[in-house]
Amino acid sequence: GAKIASNSWGGGGSSSALRVAIEHAEAAGMLFTAAAGNEAANNDEVANYPANYDIANVISVASTTSIGKLSEFSCYGSSTVHVAAPGSGIYSTIPHNKYATHSGTSMAAPYVSGLAALVWMYRPQLSMHQVREIIIGSVRKLPALEGKVITGGLINAKNALEAAWAFEPPRPPANAPQAIAFEDTDPRIGVFGGVITITAAANQSDVEYYRVYMVSGAGFQLEAVGDPIPVTGEQELILEFNTSFVSSEYAKAL
C-alpha cells in the first residue's frame, strides 16, 4: 500500500472517525503530511484539522516565501506545526493539462511529502517514524521561523539525505514466536476480552519484545492490541485484558 498521504486540505472541527483513520494509517506505517492552514492563525490557540491531530505519523506544514519568511497567510504554531516549506508563488499543475502559480500551505505540504519519498527511495529500509524524525530533525533553522513552528526551520533535502545515511534501519527479529492463542471471554459479538498466550521463539537472542496486532482479512496490520510484552526468558508470555475492547470493522484476526 501507499506509504505517504499528502493532505492539502483542512478545516472544521475534530472528527473521532478521522482520528481513528489516521491512527490506523500510523499502525500500517503511513506518513501523513498535512497543510497547517491559510488563516494566518496560531494553531496552538485555534486548532486546524487534520494538521492538529497529535498522532505520531502526522507532520504539520507551514508555508514560507522564497526568502524563507513565514507566508503572510500561513497558520503557525510553536507546539503544533512541525516544519515549514515553500508555499508562496508555487508554479504547479492545475486541471485540464495546464500550469499556474498558486500560494498556500496546500502548496507547501507536498514538498514535505516529496522529501519523504526521496528519503524512502534513498533508504527504503527505514521505518515511517524514522523518516518523520529525519525530516523534522534536519531542517535549516531560520530566525524568521523561531517561535512559529516547532523546529524553527525550513525542510532541507541535503540535510535529510545526510541524516538518512546515518540512520540504522529497524531489523525485524529472525526468530518468530512459535504460537499465539487467544481465549475470548467476552460473549458479545465484535467485543473481545480475555487472555492472549504467546509461545516464545525457541531462540530469543534477537528478540526484545513481542507485540500483538489485529490484521485485516487481506492480511494488513491494523491497530495494536495491548502493550508490548518484554522478553523474560519464560516459554509462555501472557497478555491479559482487564477490560474488553472493540476491534475495527476491518479486523479479522490477531
Side-chain angles (χ1 to χ4, degrees):
K3 286 189 171 184
I4 305 165
S6 190
N7 296 272
S8 291
W9 60 278
S14 178
S15 161
S16 57
L18 180 56
R19 169 179 278 278
V20 169
I22 298 172
E23 289 172 344
H24 284 179
E26 182 202 359
M30 177 184 283
L31 185 69
F32 190 96
T33 65
N38 301 326
E39 293 78 29
N42 186 344
N43 286 2
D44 294 354
E45 298 176 357
V46 180
N48 191 308
Y49 295 99
N52 267 68
Y53 287 117
D54 186 18
I55 305 173
N57 62 332
V58 173
I59 301 181
S60 176
V61 187
S63 169
T64 62
T65 66
S66 59
I67 59 173
K69 292 186 177 181
L70 189 73
S71 302
E72 62 179 12
F73 55 79
S74 180
C75 288
Y76 55 93
S78 60
S79 62
T80 54
V81 179
H82 299 95
V83 299
S88 289
I90 305 301
Y91 191 61
S92 184
T93 54
I94 61 172
H96 308 298
N97 247 2
K98 295 181 179 180
Y99 293 85
T101 298
H102 289 290
S103 297
T105 55
S106 289
M107 307 305 288
Y111 273 96
V112 179
S113 303
L115 179 55
L118 183 64
V119 170
W120 248 320
M121 182 178 68
Y122 181 52
R123 295 295 306 278
Q125 307 92 341
L126 294 176
S127 71
M128 177 273 294
H129 291 111
Q130 286 181 316
V131 171
R132 181 178 183 269
E133 183 179 342
I134 286 167
I135 291 172
I136 290 175
S138 63
V139 299
R140 179 165 64 95
K141 293 189 178 293
L142 297 172
L145 297 177
E146 283 296 326
K148 298 298 184 180
V149 297
I150 294 170
T151 58
L154 184 71
I155 61 167
N156 186 284
K158 178 178 180 292
N159 291 350
L161 292 177
E162 289 177 349
W165 173 253
F167 259 72
E168 182 67 25
R171 300 183 185 277
N175 300 292
Q178 300 179 69
I180 180 171
F182 177 43
E183 181 185 357
D184 185 10
T185 59
D186 195 310
R188 293 173 292 176
I189 296 175
V191 182
F192 302 93
V195 177
I196 295 175
T197 303
I198 297 173
T199 303
N203 180 352
Q204 299 187 90
S205 60
D206 63 342
V207 182
E208 296 180 7
Y209 63 89
Y210 296 94
R211 193 80 195 263
V212 179
Y213 290 88
M214 302 297 291
V215 294
S216 69
F220 291 106
Q221 176 182 304
L222 300 175
E223 66 267 28
V225 177
D227 296 322
I229 308 167
V231 169
T232 62
E234 298 292 329
Q235 187 63 20
E236 286 194 344
L237 301 167
I238 304 296
L239 178 61
E240 186 171 0
F241 299 100
N242 296 321
T243 58
S244 297
F245 66 94
V246 179
S247 66
S248 75
E249 61 178 307
Y250 303 107
K252 301 300 180 184
L254 292 173

